Amino acid sequence: RGGGRGGGRGGDIVASNPTSALSNLILADVTQNFRFYLYGIESSSRDGVKVDSVNRRRALFLRGLFDAKDGLLSRIGVPEKEAESLRRVVFFEGSFIFSARKIPGLDYKHLPRF
């Protein structure tokens, strides 16, 4: 066990003070003042079958986070205006999410463990 990126569940930082980032095969030089948060996403059905379609994973993620009734942000009391502002800085890239700001409620310390 062990190894891999980050060395385990949560807790470890993927990269500390990176100077470049590769996203969707586009290399971006990163300045010292540029910050982003990277979240790994895994999607599966209630039966444990992984969701293969990138479009379906994206739809599930957006609904699970931003839905006005059932989304995480609405359930933890994030105002609608703040959720809409956050939606503009969150980018879905298949199995990762890039965000210019921390996403409330997705702190690894507060996520359920399976």
mmCIF file of all heavy atoms in Angstrom, residues 27-81:
data_model
loop_
_atom_site.group_PDB
_atom_site.id
_atom_site.type_symbol
_atom_site.label_atom_id
_atom_site.label_comp_id
_atom_site.label_asym_id
_atom_site.label_seq_id
_atom_site.Cartn_x
_atom_site.Cartn_y
_atom_site.Cartn_z
ATOM 1 N N LEU A 27 -0.384 23.522 -21.249
ATOM 2 C CA LEU A 27 0.544 23.878 -20.186
ATOM 3 C C LEU A 27 0.363 25.344 -19.838
ATOM 4 O O LEU A 27 0.335 26.206 -20.708
ATOM 5 C CB LEU A 27 1.982 23.625 -20.624
ATOM 6 C CG LEU A 27 3.048 23.916 -19.576
ATOM 7 C CD1 LEU A 27 2.880 23.007 -18.365
ATOM 8 C CD2 LEU A 27 4.427 23.742 -20.177
ATOM 9 N N ALA A 28 0.230 25.621 -18.559
ATOM 10 C CA ALA A 28 0.089 26.999 -18.093
ATOM 11 C C ALA A 28 1.201 27.290 -17.098
ATOM 12 O O ALA A 28 1.410 26.525 -16.160
ATOM 13 C CB ALA A 28 -1.266 27.182 -17.417
ATOM 14 N N ASP A 29 1.936 28.378 -17.337
ATOM 15 C CA ASP A 29 2.925 28.818 -16.367
ATOM 16 C C ASP A 29 2.192 29.504 -15.234
ATOM 17 O O ASP A 29 1.297 30.319 -15.453
ATOM 18 C CB ASP A 29 3.929 29.784 -17.000
ATOM 19 C CG ASP A 29 4.833 29.072 -17.986
ATOM 20 O OD1 ASP A 29 5.168 27.899 -17.736
ATOM 21 O OD2 ASP A 29 5.196 29.680 -19.010
ATOM 22 N N VAL A 30 2.568 29.176 -14.013
ATOM 23 C CA VAL A 30 1.872 29.666 -12.831
ATOM 24 C C VAL A 30 2.768 30.643 -12.091
ATOM 25 O O VAL A 30 3.907 30.314 -11.769
ATOM 26 C CB VAL A 30 1.484 28.488 -11.905
ATOM 27 C CG1 VAL A 30 0.750 28.983 -10.679
ATOM 28 C CG2 VAL A 30 0.635 27.479 -12.670
ATOM 29 N N THR A 31 2.269 31.846 -11.814
ATOM 30 C CA THR A 31 3.038 32.821 -11.049
ATOM 31 C C THR A 31 2.869 32.538 -9.563
ATOM 32 O O THR A 31 1.986 31.774 -9.160
ATOM 33 C CB THR A 31 2.567 34.257 -11.350
ATOM 34 O OG1 THR A 31 1.232 34.406 -10.879
ATOM 35 C CG2 THR A 31 2.638 34.562 -12.833
ATOM 36 N N GLN A 32 3.684 33.192 -8.750
ATOM 37 C CA GLN A 32 3.617 32.954 -7.305
ATOM 38 C C GLN A 32 2.287 33.396 -6.709
ATOM 39 O O GLN A 32 1.850 32.851 -5.706
ATOM 40 C CB GLN A 32 4.754 33.674 -6.602
ATOM 41 C CG GLN A 32 6.088 33.007 -6.813
ATOM 42 C CD GLN A 32 7.183 33.690 -6.020
ATOM 43 O OE1 GLN A 32 7.089 34.862 -5.712
ATOM 44 N NE2 GLN A 32 8.217 32.946 -5.703
ATOM 45 N N ASN A 33 1.630 34.369 -7.305
ATOM 46 C CA ASN A 33 0.371 34.873 -6.760
ATOM 47 C C ASN A 33 -0.848 34.108 -7.260
ATOM 48 O O ASN A 33 -1.943 34.330 -6.780
ATOM 49 C CB ASN A 33 0.213 36.357 -7.096
ATOM 50 C CG ASN A 33 1.273 37.189 -6.413
ATOM 51 O OD1 ASN A 33 1.699 36.880 -5.309
ATOM 52 N ND2 ASN A 33 1.717 38.231 -7.076
ATOM 53 N N PHE A 34 -0.671 33.234 -8.241
ATOM 54 C CA PHE A 34 -1.784 32.452 -8.779
ATOM 55 C C PHE A 34 -2.011 31.220 -7.899
ATOM 56 O O PHE A 34 -1.087 30.484 -7.592
ATOM 57 C CB PHE A 34 -1.483 32.009 -10.208
ATOM 58 C CG PHE A 34 -2.586 31.203 -10.824
ATOM 59 C CD1 PHE A 34 -3.725 31.815 -11.307
ATOM 60 C CD2 PHE A 34 -2.485 29.824 -10.909
ATOM 61 C CE1 PHE A 34 -4.748 31.071 -11.873
ATOM 62 C CE2 PHE A 34 -3.504 29.075 -11.466
ATOM 63 C CZ PHE A 34 -4.630 29.704 -11.951
ATOM 64 N N ARG A 35 -3.229 31.014 -7.483
ATOM 65 C CA ARG A 35 -3.571 29.868 -6.647
ATOM 66 C C ARG A 35 -4.790 29.164 -7.235
ATOM 67 O O ARG A 35 -5.681 29.802 -7.786
ATOM 68 C CB ARG A 35 -3.923 30.316 -5.237
ATOM 69 C CG ARG A 35 -2.851 31.097 -4.559
ATOM 70 C CD ARG A 35 -2.167 30.246 -3.529
ATOM 71 N NE ARG A 35 -1.282 31.065 -2.736
ATOM 72 C CZ ARG A 35 0.018 30.903 -2.721
ATOM 73 N NH1 ARG A 35 0.568 29.961 -3.429
ATOM 74 N NH2 ARG A 35 0.777 31.670 -1.985
ATOM 75 N N PHE A 36 -4.806 27.847 -7.107
ATOM 76 C CA PHE A 36 -5.996 27.101 -7.477
ATOM 77 C C PHE A 36 -6.084 25.877 -6.584
ATOM 78 O O PHE A 36 -5.102 25.454 -5.994
ATOM 79 C CB PHE A 36 -6.002 26.706 -8.960
ATOM 80 C CG PHE A 36 -4.890 25.766 -9.352
ATOM 81 C CD1 PHE A 36 -5.075 24.389 -9.301
ATOM 82 C CD2 PHE A 36 -3.666 26.255 -9.769
ATOM 83 C CE1 PHE A 36 -4.058 23.523 -9.652
ATOM 84 C CE2 PHE A 36 -2.643 25.396 -10.124
ATOM 85 C CZ PHE A 36 -2.838 24.036 -10.065
ATOM 86 N N TYR A 37 -7.270 25.351 -6.470
ATOM 87 C CA TYR A 37 -7.518 24.148 -5.682
ATOM 88 C C TYR A 37 -7.868 23.028 -6.642
ATOM 89 O O TYR A 37 -8.586 23.237 -7.621
ATOM 90 C CB TYR A 37 -8.654 24.379 -4.682
ATOM 91 C CG TYR A 37 -8.292 25.439 -3.669
ATOM 92 C CD1 TYR A 37 -8.546 26.777 -3.912
ATOM 93 C CD2 TYR A 37 -7.659 25.093 -2.490
ATOM 94 C CE1 TYR A 37 -8.189 27.749 -2.996
ATOM 95 C CE2 TYR A 37 -7.304 26.060 -1.568
ATOM 96 C CZ TYR A 37 -7.573 27.388 -1.828
ATOM 97 O OH TYR A 37 -7.212 28.341 -0.922
ATOM 98 N N LEU A 38 -7.361 21.855 -6.377
ATOM 99 C CA LEU A 38 -7.579 20.689 -7.224
ATOM 100 C C LEU A 38 -8.313 19.640 -6.400
ATOM 101 O O LEU A 38 -7.858 19.255 -5.323
ATOM 102 C CB LEU A 38 -6.234 20.135 -7.695
ATOM 103 C CG LEU A 38 -6.233 18.830 -8.466
ATOM 104 C CD1 LEU A 38 -6.911 19.021 -9.814
ATOM 105 C CD2 LEU A 38 -4.802 18.360 -8.673
ATOM 106 N N TYR A 39 -9.466 19.203 -6.888
ATOM 107 C CA TYR A 39 -10.268 18.195 -6.215
ATOM 108 C C TYR A 39 -10.397 16.983 -7.126
ATOM 109 O O TYR A 39 -10.765 17.122 -8.291
ATOM 110 C CB TYR A 39 -11.677 18.730 -5.908
ATOM 111 C CG TYR A 39 -11.711 19.893 -4.956
ATOM 112 C CD1 TYR A 39 -11.640 21.200 -5.416
ATOM 113 C CD2 TYR A 39 -11.802 19.682 -3.590
ATOM 114 C CE1 TYR A 39 -11.674 22.273 -4.541
ATOM 115 C CE2 TYR A 39 -11.839 20.745 -2.706
ATOM 116 C CZ TYR A 39 -11.769 22.042 -3.194
ATOM 117 O OH TYR A 39 -11.796 23.091 -2.322
ATOM 118 N N GLY A 40 -10.117 15.803 -6.607
ATOM 119 C CA GLY A 40 -10.325 14.563 -7.350
ATOM 120 C C GLY A 40 -11.772 14.137 -7.242
ATOM 121 O O GLY A 40 -12.396 14.275 -6.200
ATOM 122 N N ILE A 41 -12.321 13.629 -8.330
ATOM 123 C CA ILE A 41 -13.730 13.228 -8.381
ATOM 124 C C ILE A 41 -13.825 11.767 -8.787
ATOM 125 O O ILE A 41 -13.191 11.333 -9.735
ATOM 126 C CB ILE A 41 -14.508 14.075 -9.410
ATOM 127 C CG1 ILE A 41 -14.413 15.554 -9.083
ATOM 128 C CG2 ILE A 41 -15.951 13.628 -9.522
ATOM 129 C CD1 ILE A 41 -15.052 15.943 -7.790
ATOM 130 N N GLU A 42 -14.624 11.022 -8.054
ATOM 131 C CA GLU A 42 -14.937 9.649 -8.439
ATOM 132 C C GLU A 42 -16.450 9.520 -8.455
ATOM 133 O O GLU A 42 -17.117 9.908 -7.499
ATOM 134 C CB GLU A 42 -14.350 8.643 -7.454
ATOM 135 C CG GLU A 42 -14.622 7.221 -7.860
ATOM 136 C CD GLU A 42 -14.019 6.206 -6.904
ATOM 137 O OE1 GLU A 42 -13.054 6.535 -6.221
ATOM 138 O OE2 GLU A 42 -14.548 5.092 -6.851
ATOM 139 N N SER A 43 -17.004 9.003 -9.535
ATOM 140 C CA SER A 43 -18.453 8.879 -9.679
ATOM 141 C C SER A 43 -18.832 7.422 -9.850
ATOM 142 O O SER A 43 -18.261 6.724 -10.677
ATOM 143 C CB SER A 43 -18.940 9.668 -10.903
ATOM 144 O OG SER A 43 -18.593 11.010 -10.791
ATOM 145 N N SER A 44 -19.814 6.999 -9.060
ATOM 146 C CA SER A 44 -20.318 5.636 -9.195
ATOM 147 C C SER A 44 -21.803 5.620 -8.863
ATOM 148 O O SER A 44 -22.317 6.497 -8.172
ATOM 149 C CB SER A 44 -19.553 4.670 -8.288
ATOM 150 O OG SER A 44 -19.640 5.067 -6.944
ATOM 151 N N SER A 45 -22.482 4.594 -9.360
ATOM 152 C CA SER A 45 -23.912 4.444 -9.090
ATOM 153 C C SER A 45 -24.102 3.919 -7.673
ATOM 154 O O SER A 45 -23.149 3.579 -6.980
ATOM 155 C CB SER A 45 -24.532 3.478 -10.099
ATOM 156 O OG SER A 45 -24.068 2.161 -9.849
ATOM 157 N N ARG A 46 -25.341 3.840 -7.260
ATOM 158 C CA ARG A 46 -25.636 3.296 -5.926
ATOM 159 C C ARG A 46 -25.187 1.840 -5.794
ATOM 160 O O ARG A 46 -24.932 1.362 -4.711
ATOM 161 C CB ARG A 46 -27.126 3.390 -5.639
ATOM 162 C CG ARG A 46 -27.581 4.803 -5.445
ATOM 163 C CD ARG A 46 -29.037 4.881 -5.118
ATOM 164 N NE ARG A 46 -29.410 6.284 -5.006
ATOM 165 C CZ ARG A 46 -30.629 6.700 -4.934
ATOM 166 N NH1 ARG A 46 -31.634 5.850 -4.985
ATOM 167 N NH2 ARG A 46 -30.887 7.977 -4.833
ATOM 168 N N ASP A 47 -25.089 1.154 -6.948
ATOM 169 C CA ASP A 47 -24.657 -0.242 -6.950
ATOM 170 C C ASP A 47 -23.141 -0.378 -6.979
ATOM 171 O O ASP A 47 -22.618 -1.490 -7.022
ATOM 172 C CB ASP A 47 -25.252 -0.970 -8.161
ATOM 173 C CG ASP A 47 -26.770 -0.963 -8.140
ATOM 174 O OD1 ASP A 47 -27.358 -0.934 -7.039
ATOM 175 O OD2 ASP A 47 -27.373 -0.982 -9.232
ATOM 176 N N GLY A 48 -22.436 0.766 -7.015
ATOM 177 C CA GLY A 48 -20.983 0.727 -7.031
ATOM 178 C C GLY A 48 -20.360 0.647 -8.413
ATOM 179 O O GLY A 48 -19.160 0.490 -8.542
ATOM 180 N N VAL A 49 -21.180 0.774 -9.469
ATOM 181 C CA VAL A 49 -20.673 0.726 -10.837
ATOM 182 C C VAL A 49 -20.163 2.123 -11.213
ATOM 183 O O VAL A 49 -20.887 3.114 -11.067
ATOM 184 C CB VAL A 49 -21.779 0.285 -11.829
ATOM 185 C CG1 VAL A 49 -21.269 0.293 -13.253
ATOM 186 C CG2 VAL A 49 -22.302 -1.090 -11.447
ATOM 187 N N LYS A 50 -18.920 2.190 -11.683
ATOM 188 C CA LYS A 50 -18.337 3.488 -12.028
ATOM 189 C C LYS A 50 -19.039 4.102 -13.232
ATOM 190 O O LYS A 50 -19.418 3.409 -14.160
ATOM 191 C CB LYS A 50 -16.851 3.346 -12.312
ATOM 192 C CG LYS A 50 -16.061 3.041 -11.070
ATOM 193 C CD LYS A 50 -14.594 3.181 -11.297
ATOM 194 C CE LYS A 50 -13.912 2.846 -9.983
ATOM 195 N NZ LYS A 50 -12.601 3.380 -9.876
ATOM 196 N N VAL A 51 -19.183 5.435 -13.205
ATOM 197 C CA VAL A 51 -19.779 6.185 -14.308
ATOM 198 C C VAL A 51 -18.663 6.496 -15.298
ATOM 199 O O VAL A 51 -17.723 7.215 -14.980
ATOM 200 C CB VAL A 51 -20.431 7.486 -13.801
ATOM 201 C CG1 VAL A 51 -20.980 8.303 -14.955
ATOM 202 C CG2 VAL A 51 -21.521 7.172 -12.783
ATOM 203 N N ASP A 52 -18.758 5.942 -16.511
ATOM 204 C CA ASP A 52 -17.709 6.103 -17.516
ATOM 205 C C ASP A 52 -17.840 7.387 -18.323
ATOM 206 O O ASP A 52 -16.850 7.953 -18.767
ATOM 207 C CB ASP A 52 -17.698 4.920 -18.485
ATOM 208 C CG ASP A 52 -17.223 3.638 -17.816
ATOM 209 O OD1 ASP A 52 -16.401 3.736 -16.893
ATOM 210 O OD2 ASP A 52 -17.684 2.562 -18.219
ATOM 211 N N SER A 53 -19.041 7.864 -18.525
ATOM 212 C CA SER A 53 -19.277 9.027 -19.369
ATOM 213 C C SER A 53 -18.824 10.312 -18.666
ATOM 214 O O SER A 53 -19.292 10.630 -17.573
ATOM 215 C CB SER A 53 -20.761 9.138 -19.713
ATOM 216 O OG SER A 53 -21.047 10.391 -20.282
ATOM 217 N N VAL A 54 -17.943 11.056 -19.318
ATOM 218 C CA VAL A 54 -17.464 12.322 -18.757
ATOM 219 C C VAL A 54 -18.620 13.311 -18.629
ATOM 220 O O VAL A 54 -18.729 14.024 -17.615
ATOM 221 C CB VAL A 54 -16.340 12.923 -19.637
ATOM 222 C CG1 VAL A 54 -15.959 14.304 -19.170
ATOM 223 C CG2 VAL A 54 -15.135 12.012 -19.636
ATOM 224 N N ASN A 55 -19.499 13.351 -19.625
ATOM 225 C CA ASN A 55 -20.638 14.269 -19.558
ATOM 226 C C ASN A 55 -21.566 13.929 -18.394
ATOM 227 O O ASN A 55 -22.079 14.833 -17.728
ATOM 228 C CB ASN A 55 -21.416 14.257 -20.877
ATOM 229 C CG ASN A 55 -20.643 14.896 -22.000
ATOM 230 O OD1 ASN A 55 -19.829 15.791 -21.774
ATOM 231 N ND2 ASN A 55 -20.878 14.439 -23.216
ATOM 232 N N ARG A 56 -21.779 12.648 -18.141
ATOM 233 C CA ARG A 56 -22.641 12.245 -17.029
ATOM 234 C C ARG A 56 -21.978 12.576 -15.696
ATOM 235 O O ARG A 56 -22.636 13.046 -14.766
ATOM 236 C CB ARG A 56 -22.951 10.746 -17.129
ATOM 237 C CG ARG A 56 -23.857 10.233 -16.043
ATOM 238 C CD ARG A 56 -25.257 10.803 -16.181
ATOM 239 N NE ARG A 56 -26.104 10.225 -15.157
ATOM 240 C CZ ARG A 56 -27.047 10.900 -14.525
ATOM 241 N NH1 ARG A 56 -27.312 12.139 -14.848
ATOM 242 N NH2 ARG A 56 -27.762 10.323 -13.597
ATOM 243 N N ARG A 57 -20.658 12.336 -15.579
ATOM 244 C CA ARG A 57 -19.933 12.687 -14.346
ATOM 245 C C ARG A 57 -20.032 14.186 -14.075
ATOM 246 O O ARG A 57 -20.244 14.619 -12.954
ATOM 247 C CB ARG A 57 -18.463 12.278 -14.431
ATOM 248 C CG ARG A 57 -18.226 10.807 -14.235
ATOM 249 C CD ARG A 57 -16.772 10.502 -13.954
ATOM 250 N NE ARG A 57 -15.855 11.018 -14.944
ATOM 251 C CZ ARG A 57 -15.305 10.316 -15.917
ATOM 252 N NH1 ARG A 57 -15.603 9.040 -16.045
ATOM 253 N NH2 ARG A 57 -14.461 10.862 -16.754
ATOM 254 N N ARG A 58 -19.894 14.984 -15.144
ATOM 255 C CA ARG A 58 -19.985 16.436 -14.999
ATOM 256 C C ARG A 58 -21.383 16.839 -14.525
ATOM 257 O O ARG A 58 -21.537 17.644 -13.603
ATOM 258 C CB ARG A 58 -19.673 17.122 -16.330
ATOM 259 C CG ARG A 58 -19.716 18.628 -16.253
ATOM 260 C CD ARG A 58 -19.369 19.248 -17.630
ATOM 261 N NE ARG A 58 -19.208 20.664 -17.539
ATOM 262 C CZ ARG A 58 -20.208 21.549 -17.540
ATOM 263 N NH1 ARG A 58 -21.455 21.107 -17.635
ATOM 264 N NH2 ARG A 58 -19.974 22.832 -17.453
ATOM 265 N N ALA A 59 -22.412 16.273 -15.139
ATOM 266 C CA ALA A 59 -23.790 16.587 -14.755
ATOM 267 C C ALA A 59 -24.059 16.209 -13.305
ATOM 268 O O ALA A 59 -24.679 16.968 -12.552
ATOM 269 C CB ALA A 59 -24.774 15.881 -15.688
ATOM 270 N N LEU A 60 -23.576 15.041 -12.894
ATOM 271 C CA LEU A 60 -23.766 14.598 -11.507
ATOM 272 C C LEU A 60 -23.038 15.514 -10.532
ATOM 273 O O LEU A 60 -23.572 15.877 -9.481
ATOM 274 C CB LEU A 60 -23.282 13.160 -11.340
ATOM 275 C CG LEU A 60 -24.128 12.088 -12.008
ATOM 276 C CD1 LEU A 60 -23.409 10.743 -11.972
ATOM 277 C CD2 LEU A 60 -25.490 11.991 -11.344
ATOM 278 N N PHE A 61 -21.805 15.896 -10.886
ATOM 279 C CA PHE A 61 -21.045 16.780 -10.014
ATOM 280 C C PHE A 61 -21.739 18.130 -9.864
ATOM 281 O O PHE A 61 -21.914 18.632 -8.749
ATOM 282 C CB PHE A 61 -19.624 16.989 -10.542
ATOM 283 C CG PHE A 61 -18.888 18.064 -9.802
ATOM 284 C CD1 PHE A 61 -18.355 17.807 -8.552
ATOM 285 C CD2 PHE A 61 -18.766 19.333 -10.336
ATOM 286 C CE1 PHE A 61 -17.702 18.808 -7.846
ATOM 287 C CE2 PHE A 61 -18.116 20.327 -9.644
ATOM 288 C CZ PHE A 61 -17.579 20.069 -8.393
ATOM 289 N N LEU A 62 -22.136 18.732 -10.986
ATOM 290 C CA LEU A 62 -22.766 20.044 -10.929
ATOM 291 C C LEU A 62 -24.072 20.009 -10.141
ATOM 292 O O LEU A 62 -24.357 20.913 -9.349
ATOM 293 C CB LEU A 62 -23.004 20.580 -12.344
ATOM 294 C CG LEU A 62 -21.735 20.929 -13.124
ATOM 295 C CD1 LEU A 62 -22.080 21.350 -14.546
ATOM 296 C CD2 LEU A 62 -20.930 22.006 -12.420
ATOM 297 N N ARG A 63 -24.847 18.958 -10.334
ATOM 298 C CA ARG A 63 -26.096 18.841 -9.575
ATOM 299 C C ARG A 63 -25.801 18.622 -8.090
ATOM 300 O O ARG A 63 -26.422 19.229 -7.225
ATOM 301 C CB ARG A 63 -26.950 17.699 -10.106
ATOM 302 C CG ARG A 63 -28.228 17.577 -9.342
ATOM 303 C CD ARG A 63 -29.169 16.572 -9.899
ATOM 304 N NE ARG A 63 -30.377 16.564 -9.081
ATOM 305 C CZ ARG A 63 -31.288 15.649 -9.157
ATOM 306 N NH1 ARG A 63 -31.179 14.691 -10.040
ATOM 307 N NH2 ARG A 63 -32.338 15.693 -8.373
ATOM 308 N N GLY A 64 -24.846 17.758 -7.804
ATOM 309 C CA GLY A 64 -24.520 17.460 -6.415
ATOM 310 C C GLY A 64 -23.950 18.638 -5.655
ATOM 311 O O GLY A 64 -24.101 18.736 -4.432
ATOM 312 N N LEU A 65 -23.329 19.559 -6.354
ATOM 313 C CA LEU A 65 -22.738 20.716 -5.684
ATOM 314 C C LEU A 65 -23.637 21.938 -5.742
ATOM 315 O O LEU A 65 -23.841 22.613 -4.739
ATOM 316 C CB LEU A 65 -21.383 21.045 -6.313
ATOM 317 C CG LEU A 65 -20.570 22.135 -5.625
ATOM 318 C CD1 LEU A 65 -20.214 21.730 -4.196
ATOM 319 C CD2 LEU A 65 -19.310 22.428 -6.417
ATOM 320 N N PHE A 66 -24.219 22.229 -6.913
ATOM 321 C CA PHE A 66 -24.890 23.508 -7.124
ATOM 322 C C PHE A 66 -26.412 23.465 -7.153
ATOM 323 O O PHE A 66 -27.040 24.524 -7.222
ATOM 324 C CB PHE A 66 -24.403 24.139 -8.435
ATOM 325 C CG PHE A 66 -22.957 24.543 -8.403
ATOM 326 C CD1 PHE A 66 -22.028 23.871 -9.174
ATOM 327 C CD2 PHE A 66 -22.528 25.580 -7.605
ATOM 328 C CE1 PHE A 66 -20.696 24.239 -9.165
ATOM 329 C CE2 PHE A 66 -21.195 25.958 -7.583
ATOM 330 C CZ PHE A 66 -20.278 25.292 -8.359
ATOM 331 N N ASP A 67 -27.045 22.308 -7.139
ATOM 332 C CA ASP A 67 -28.506 22.247 -7.224
ATOM 333 C C ASP A 67 -29.134 23.076 -6.098
ATOM 334 O O ASP A 67 -28.731 22.972 -4.939
ATOM 335 C CB ASP A 67 -28.985 20.795 -7.131
ATOM 336 C CG ASP A 67 -30.466 20.668 -7.393
ATOM 337 O OD1 ASP A 67 -30.857 20.772 -8.567
ATOM 338 O OD2 ASP A 67 -31.224 20.490 -6.416
ATOM 339 N N ALA A 68 -30.122 23.903 -6.454
ATOM 340 C CA ALA A 68 -30.727 24.823 -5.485
ATOM 341 C C ALA A 68 -31.431 24.109 -4.333
ATOM 342 O O ALA A 68 -31.508 24.645 -3.223
ATOM 343 C CB ALA A 68 -31.704 25.748 -6.200
ATOM 344 N N LYS A 69 -31.901 22.889 -4.564
ATOM 345 C CA LYS A 69 -32.627 22.169 -3.514
ATOM 346 C C LYS A 69 -31.757 21.100 -2.858
ATOM 347 O O LYS A 69 -31.682 21.011 -1.632
ATOM 348 C CB LYS A 69 -33.877 21.522 -4.105
ATOM 349 C CG LYS A 69 -34.700 20.777 -3.097
ATOM 350 C CD LYS A 69 -35.924 20.146 -3.733
ATOM 351 C CE LYS A 69 -36.689 19.330 -2.720
ATOM 352 N NZ LYS A 69 -37.759 18.572 -3.340
ATOM 353 N N ASP A 70 -31.111 20.263 -3.662
ATOM 354 C CA ASP A 70 -30.399 19.104 -3.139
ATOM 355 C C ASP A 70 -28.879 19.237 -3.142
ATOM 356 O O ASP A 70 -28.182 18.348 -2.662
ATOM 357 C CB ASP A 70 -30.755 17.854 -3.962
ATOM 358 C CG ASP A 70 -32.228 17.527 -3.869
ATOM 359 O OD1 ASP A 70 -32.793 17.667 -2.770
ATOM 360 O OD2 ASP A 70 -32.812 17.142 -4.897
ATOM 361 N N GLY A 71 -28.342 20.316 -3.678
ATOM 362 C CA GLY A 71 -26.893 20.467 -3.781
ATOM 363 C C GLY A 71 -26.229 20.698 -2.431
ATOM 364 O O GLY A 71 -26.842 21.211 -1.492
ATOM 365 N N LEU A 72 -24.973 20.329 -2.348
ATOM 366 C CA LEU A 72 -24.206 20.483 -1.111
ATOM 367 C C LEU A 72 -24.197 21.925 -0.625
ATOM 368 O O LEU A 72 -24.407 22.191 0.560
ATOM 369 C CB LEU A 72 -22.765 19.997 -1.316
ATOM 370 C CG LEU A 72 -21.808 20.250 -0.148
ATOM 371 C CD1 LEU A 72 -22.210 19.417 1.060
ATOM 372 C CD2 LEU A 72 -20.379 19.959 -0.550
ATOM 373 N N LEU A 73 -23.967 22.857 -1.530
ATOM 374 C CA LEU A 73 -23.868 24.260 -1.115
ATOM 375 C C LEU A 73 -25.166 24.768 -0.499
ATOM 376 O O LEU A 73 -25.148 25.474 0.515
ATOM 377 C CB LEU A 73 -23.449 25.136 -2.292
ATOM 378 C CG LEU A 73 -22.065 24.838 -2.868
ATOM 379 C CD1 LEU A 73 -21.765 25.765 -4.037
ATOM 380 C CD2 LEU A 73 -20.982 24.931 -1.813
ATOM 381 N N SER A 74 -26.302 24.406 -1.080
ATOM 382 C CA SER A 74 -27.586 24.848 -0.512
ATOM 383 C C SER A 74 -27.855 24.156 0.827
ATOM 384 O O SER A 74 -28.404 24.769 1.736
ATOM 385 C CB SER A 74 -28.734 24.610 -1.484
ATOM 386 O OG SER A 74 -28.944 23.238 -1.700
ATOM 387 N N ARG A 75 -27.443 22.899 0.953
ATOM 388 C CA ARG A 75 -27.682 22.175 2.214
ATOM 389 C C ARG A 75 -26.848 22.703 3.363
ATOM 390 O O ARG A 75 -27.258 22.622 4.518
ATOM 391 C CB ARG A 75 -27.411 20.682 2.037
ATOM 392 C CG ARG A 75 -28.467 19.983 1.204
ATOM 393 C CD ARG A 75 -28.205 18.518 1.152
ATOM 394 N NE ARG A 75 -26.790 18.326 0.849
ATOM 395 C CZ ARG A 75 -26.266 17.245 0.337
ATOM 396 N NH1 ARG A 75 -27.018 16.228 0.076
ATOM 397 N NH2 ARG A 75 -24.991 17.158 0.088
ATOM 398 N N ILE A 76 -25.659 23.258 3.073
ATOM 399 C CA ILE A 76 -24.835 23.790 4.167
ATOM 400 C C ILE A 76 -25.044 25.293 4.354
ATOM 401 O O ILE A 76 -24.348 25.925 5.145
ATOM 402 C CB ILE A 76 -23.332 23.467 3.988
ATOM 403 C CG1 ILE A 76 -22.759 24.127 2.736
ATOM 404 C CG2 ILE A 76 -23.111 21.961 3.983
ATOM 405 C CD1 ILE A 76 -21.242 23.969 2.620
ATOM 406 N N GLY A 77 -26.005 25.864 3.623
ATOM 407 C CA GLY A 77 -26.397 27.247 3.850
ATOM 408 C C GLY A 77 -25.591 28.306 3.118
ATOM 409 O O GLY A 77 -25.604 29.466 3.521
ATOM 410 N N VAL A 78 -24.917 27.941 2.052
ATOM 411 C CA VAL A 78 -24.193 28.935 1.252
ATOM 412 C C VAL A 78 -25.225 29.755 0.485
ATOM 413 O O VAL A 78 -26.072 29.189 -0.204
ATOM 414 C CB VAL A 78 -23.202 28.243 0.287
ATOM 415 C CG1 VAL A 78 -22.566 29.249 -0.657
ATOM 416 C CG2 VAL A 78 -22.136 27.493 1.067
ATOM 417 N N PRO A 79 -25.166 31.091 0.610
ATOM 418 C CA PRO A 79 -26.134 31.932 -0.111
ATOM 419 C C PRO A 79 -26.073 31.703 -1.630
ATOM 420 O O PRO A 79 -25.006 31.424 -2.182
ATOM 421 C CB PRO A 79 -25.697 33.360 0.228
ATOM 422 C CG PRO A 79 -24.879 33.234 1.473
ATOM 423 C CD PRO A 79 -24.246 31.883 1.417
ATOM 424 N N GLU A 80 -27.216 31.840 -2.294
ATOM 425 C CA GLU A 80 -27.305 31.577 -3.733
ATOM 426 C C GLU A 80 -26.339 32.449 -4.534
ATOM 427 O O GLU A 80 -25.726 31.992 -5.491
ATOM 428 C CB GLU A 80 -28.738 31.801 -4.206
ATOM 429 C CG GLU A 80 -28.970 31.384 -5.641
ATOM 430 C CD GLU A 80 -30.419 31.510 -6.056
ATOM 431 O OE1 GLU A 80 -31.300 31.386 -5.195
ATOM 432 O OE2 GLU A 80 -30.651 31.731 -7.259
ATOM 433 N N LYS A 81 -26.193 33.700 -4.135
ATOM 434 C CA LYS A 81 -25.293 34.618 -4.845
ATOM 435 C C LYS A 81 -23.838 34.130 -4.753
ATOM 436 O O LYS A 81 -23.092 34.182 -5.731
ATOM 437 C CB LYS A 81 -25.429 36.017 -4.254
ATOM 438 C CG LYS A 81 -24.829 37.095 -5.091
ATOM 439 C CD LYS A 81 -25.196 38.468 -4.542
ATOM 440 C CE LYS A 81 -24.730 39.547 -5.489
ATOM 441 N NZ LYS A 81 -25.148 40.868 -5.053
#
